[in-house]
Amino acid sequence: MTNSELLQYCMSKPGAQQSVHSDWKATQIKVADVLYAMVHDVENRPAVSLKASPELADLLRESHKDVFPSAHLNKAHWSTVYLDGTLPDSQIYYLVDASYQQALSLLPEQTRQQLPD
């Protein structure tokens, strides 16, 4: 999977908006100003940083060498995943979906209702 393919998937979510974080050379994907994905290169490899529960983050890190704590984000909740590693694309898409759902859960009900379908 490439950064471009993942970015396209992230942007297909209702209310998704992207911006560039120039200091980190990363594309941030947010829903109503809540970050749920950061697409970037790590050690010249395509990668994405995603939010997960601390339990899921620990499990993924223990099970996959291509998943590790994110450098610039809260390491208990954010993991970086190499897109060209051993994690199947379907699992990466699942993690994007889970991160998006966590972001939605932080939004007020009225904001969630105003998102496009």
Side-chain angles (χ1 to χ4, degrees), residues 56-67 86-87 91:
L56 178 57
D58 287 342
L59 179 65
L60 289 167
R61 294 170 192 169
E62 291 171 9
S63 305
H64 299 281
K65 64 180 174 67
D66 291 322
V67 181
T86 58
L87 210 62
Q91 195 160 9

Side-chain angles (χ1 to χ4, degrees), residues 45-60:
R45 294 177 65 186
V48 63
S49 295
L50 299 165
K51 191 171 188 178
S53 69
E55 297 80 17
L56 178 57
D58 287 342
L59 179 65
L60 289 167

Side-chain angles (χ1 to χ4, degrees), residues 41-110:
D41 286 336
V42 175
E43 298 176 358
N44 295 317
R45 294 177 65 186
V48 63
S49 295
L50 299 165
K51 191 171 188 178
S53 69
E55 297 80 17
L56 178 57
D58 287 342
L59 179 65
L60 289 167
R61 294 170 192 169
E62 291 171 9
S63 305
H64 299 281
K65 64 180 174 67
D66 291 322
V67 181
F68 50 93
S70 296
H72 302 292
L73 302 165
N74 181 325
K75 291 168 183 29
H77 296 275
W78 289 87
S79 294
T80 298
V81 179
Y82 284 128
L83 301 181
D84 62 355
T86 58
L87 210 62
D89 290 357
S90 60
Q91 195 160 9
I92 295 170
Y93 289 134
Y94 169 81
L95 294 172
V96 169
D97 293 345
S99 187
Y100 177 78
Q101 289 302 318
Q102 278 198 0
L104 285 180
S105 73
L106 297 173
L107 299 176
E109 180 65 28
Q110 184 177 14

